[in-house]
Amino acid sequence: MLEIFEAITRRLVESWKSDEPSGRRNVFRCRCERPVYFYNSFCLGCKTPLGYEPEMLQVLAMSPAPKGDAWIVDGQKDDSVLWKRCENFHSPAGCNWLVRADEEETLCRSCRLNNTIPDLDVEENGLWWRKIENAKRRLVAQLLQLGLPVASKVSEDKEKGVMFDFLRSPEKGPRVMTGHASGLITLNIEEADDSIREKTRHQMREPYRTLLGHFRHEIGHYYWDRLVDETPWLEKFRELFGDERESYAGALKRNYEHGPPANWADKHISAYASVHPWEDWAETWAHYLHVVDSLDTALRFGLHGDEVEQAVEPFTVDDLYDPKDPDAKRVILLINSWVQLTTVINELARSMGQQDFYPFVMSRSVLRKMHFIQIVVKEARGGTSLLD
């Protein structure tokens, strides 16, 4: 499987400055040639059943197998491989992912990560859970594309796996706090209520707050434990992000009492990233995932760099964590293309009276941290690294 970073940068070279008409790259398509999308379980045009196949990482059309409650998906090399729908297909989660028919497991790669789901006897919880699962499936699909380890702490890897608790605060408290601890990610399901989440965003003075953003941030903490802590990367992390042995409770107290330092934007992607090295890593990790996924989507739909004006001075390889890294030129191409993309999409959002699509400014310090993360991710999937 071609790693998503390599695939994106290859397509940037091939199509970002291309004469090919836009809109006909690698979008998912039904067998009727209509475009279909990540969450679709059937084609809105021809009504063909669809499913997300986690090995090919695509939404594919399906046909019933000759025997049993199984499916054959289009495009696979081995027609003997049969699939079944995730058990949560008929639940409020509405999961469209597939599971191999010969597996005893009934839940897909994403749903099997759940440790606790909301109480579905409460009416709005089902709607909230569906929104949460939609965001989580997009996260998990991206992690699989990146080649990162994704195993269920519930049923597959008790020691190093990851799992999710989706909880609601009791009426009389205490409030459920979203966070990560030892492979368990807890999400307050009230974050799926747009009005509650937007109110919290204003109270916290945040420019951006989404379910997917929560997932990408918290999974960053998980991968810090997996990929950095107690590895040769730890000292290099401390040199770049700071010493995580600083009191976390003390750092939070200082932030809530005094706010972020005045110059936080010079070194951090967000004000919250300035609280503690752990939060700096998690926030930067989340933005790494934002950049990779959003630019990948733009390329799949055929957006061209020739259609976007460069509004700021582009970054150069000397701005990276390691200018001699073999991927240095591709990283710069990726980031400069992202800056171009967000410039025009922010203007589009403003023309609709909406807040900016990407309300952040990427400094050179942040770029170095993102490049560090890219190198760590590449090593995690067996690539070369600075430590070889």
Side-chain angles (χ1 to χ4, degrees), residues 237-304:
F237 164 85
R238 289 171 178 165
E239 292 171 2
L240 189 60
F241 289 84
D243 194 332
E244 84 290 350
R245 292 169 294 188
E246 173 194 358
S247 170
Y248 184 73
L252 285 177
K253 183 175 184 293
R254 181 176 63 249
N255 179 70
Y256 291 135
E257 290 180 354
H258 305 291
N263 64 340
W264 65 264
D266 294 338
K267 299 180 180 180
H268 307 282
I269 193 62
S270 68
Y272 191 60
S274 68
V275 170
H276 187 274
W278 280 335
E279 299 302 342
D280 195 9
W281 165 273
E283 284 285 272
T284 309
W285 175 280
H287 283 260
Y288 171 76
L289 298 187
H290 291 334
V291 170
V292 172
D293 195 27
S294 298
L295 191 53
D296 179 49
T297 300
L299 287 168
R300 284 193 288 109
F301 280 88
L303 189 64
H304 290 173

Side-chain angles (χ1 to χ4, degrees), residues 3-22:
E3 194 253 351
I4 189 171
F5 168 76
E6 296 166 348
I8 292 172
T9 52
R10 183 190 66 187
R11 292 204 304 276
L12 280 169
V13 171
E14 293 173 349
S15 66
W16 190 246
K17 298 290 185 180
S18 165
D19 293 329
E20 181 177 340
S22 62

Side-chain angles (χ1 to χ4, degrees), residues 38 47 106 133 213-214 257 264 271 285 319 346 361:
F38 183 70
K47 309 304 179 185
T106 59
E133 290 295 342
H214 281 312
E257 290 180 354
W264 65 264
W285 175 280
D319 298 319
N346 281 346
V361 176

